[in-house]
Amino acid sequence: MTDVAGLGESRAAGGLPCSAQARRAGESLTATASFGRRWLLLEVAGAWGPNAFRDSPLLDPVLGARIERRAAAEGWRIAAIRRPGRARQADGLRWRWARVDAAPGRESVVWGEAAGSADYLTAAFDQPGTRSDDIVIAVCAHGRHDQCCAARGRSVAAALRGSDPDGVWECSHIGGDRFAATMLLFPHGINYGWADTLGPQHMVDEYRAGRVVLPGLRGRSAFRFLEQAAQDAARRTFGDLRIDAYEPVRSAQLPERRWEVLLADPAGPVRVELAETLSAPLYSNCAATVAAARPTFTVRGVSRVLER
């Protein structure tokens, strides 16, 4: 593979891992959190293949595909979870599940446990479960999907487990391999990247205090990329780091691929104008052999809307 705009060779051709290339290029993490308002987390306490539900020894691939189809039909984004490292063996083979609602104002986590993998198709969707006020820390460690997730994510999960053994889980692919180590904090769906070098414990501590940390913040999964970009711009301009600050109210497309997003704020609504552009070509993960641009947003203005 030839060099693309100074990016270097793809990993498949012997280049740097995708996460190392993204860091070297100084790629922005802003507004890269994959969308998901309802998450279904299913414990698969063993090895994961490239697809955690269809390529894993503990799950019948037909069952895994049926679970995926039902989740998609009912609006759930699913991820496999397992305890980090040796904690997995200590826990034994269990089939715990969690339903997470990450929508603003409805944030909740409900836990349950199935009798076996076959019960996931019904129990995880239909049983009432038990509501929990404890946070869930999900760190991507899906090495068969991308090597960067294993190399960077597992160490983060192991480190965090020391202070929160019950809340920390390794999880399967959640998007943004090149931002490994990636981490989701539930129930709000706060998504971080490069957690291995940007202080994962600080990210978790601030989340418990009801705040986000700007370094490494990819966005909140309940919002689309456009809204994530607008929130980030407002936080950097006015400084409110509370999780619920600057909730999107509405957005409108303007001429020349520009957007206007209105955000709620007690001091007065915030108007953010963004231009939709394309990034420089990049390799989205270690398996990519062709560098491609991705949509991104550039801030054109941030202001308060004067009330009359």
Side-chain angles (χ1 to χ4, degrees), residues 115-200:
S117 60
D119 288 337
Y120 271 164
L121 193 58
T122 54
F125 292 92
D126 302 327
Q127 286 186 0
T130 302
R131 182 161 178 155
S132 173
D133 292 328
D134 297 329
I135 71 169
V136 178
I137 304 164
V139 183
C140 183
H142 196 167
R144 290 292 301 279
H145 184 88
D146 192 280
Q147 67 180 62
C148 290
C149 299
R152 297 182 182 274
R154 288 175 186 169
S155 62
V156 170
L160 290 174
R161 186 177 180 275
S163 59
D164 197 339
D166 294 327
V168 179
W169 299 83
E170 293 181 352
C171 72
S172 60
H173 179 59
I174 55 175
D177 302 330
R178 65 192 183 281
F179 302 129
T182 57
M183 177 170 66
L184 270 168
L185 302 179
F186 290 120
H188 292 81
I190 303 298
N191 195 326
Y192 286 103
W194 298 347
D196 53 317
T197 55
L198 291 179

Side-chain angles (χ1 to χ4, degrees), residues 30-238:
T30 300
T32 62
S34 299
F35 182 77
R37 287 204 162 194
R38 299 203 305 163
W39 292 78
L40 184 63
L41 311 178
L42 303 177
E43 185 173 14
V44 183
W48 300 332
N51 180 294
F53 294 99
R54 286 182 272 116
D55 303 315
S56 300
L58 289 179
L59 279 183
D60 180 340
V62 175
L63 172 65
R66 292 180 67 192
I67 293 171
E68 288 181 325
R69 286 196 298 270
R70 180 168 181 185
E74 297 184 14
W76 294 98
R77 178 155 186 167
I78 63 171
I81 57 173
R82 62 190 179 194
R83 288 300 192 189
R86 293 180 180 177
R88 202 177 311 150
Q89 286 72 43
D91 269 7
L93 189 60
R94 299 179 63 181
W95 303 98
R96 289 166 286 194
W97 52 263
R99 291 194 299 263
V100 180
D101 192 336
R106 300 205 307 265
E107 298 89 353
S108 64
V109 179
V110 173
W111 281 98
E113 186 164 357
S117 60
D119 288 337
Y120 271 164
L121 193 58
T122 54
F125 292 92
D126 302 327
Q127 286 186 0
T130 302
R131 182 161 178 155
S132 173
D133 292 328
D134 297 329
I135 71 169
V136 178
I137 304 164
V139 183
C140 183
H142 196 167
R144 290 292 301 279
H145 184 88
D146 192 280
Q147 67 180 62
C148 290
C149 299
R152 297 182 182 274
R154 288 175 186 169
S155 62
V156 170
L160 290 174
R161 186 177 180 275
S163 59
D164 197 339
D166 294 327
V168 179
W169 299 83
E170 293 181 352
C171 72
S172 60
H173 179 59
I174 55 175
D177 302 330
R178 65 192 183 281
F179 302 129
T182 57
M183 177 170 66
L184 270 168
L185 302 179
F186 290 120
H188 292 81
I190 303 298
N191 195 326
Y192 286 103
W194 298 347
D196 53 317
T197 55
L198 291 179
Q201 188 63 61
H202 181 55
M203 294 170 176
V204 172
D205 290 344
E206 285 297 283
Y207 179 65
R208 289 189 183 280
R211 296 183 294 265
V212 298
V213 177
L214 290 180
L217 181 63
R218 298 179 60 195
R220 183 172 174 177
S221 72
F223 302 131
R224 304 289 183 178
F225 295 145
L226 174 71
E227 298 165 329
Q228 294 173 25
Q231 277 195 319
D232 186 84
R235 293 188 194 282
R236 294 179 187 277
T237 301
F238 298 115

Side-chain angles (χ1 to χ4, degrees), residues 248-298:
V249 176
R250 65 174 182 269
S251 60
Q253 188 165 13
L254 305 175
E256 300 177 347
R257 298 179 65 83
R258 292 179 298 118
W259 292 85
E260 178 184 276
V261 181
L262 191 68
L263 307 171
D265 186 61
V270 174
R271 176 185 178 274
V272 181
E273 184 178 332
L274 302 156
E276 186 175 355
T277 59
L278 289 175
S279 71
L282 54 87
Y283 299 113
S284 60
N285 53 48
C286 286
T289 57
V290 177
R294 72 168 184 87
T296 188
F297 296 95
T298 302

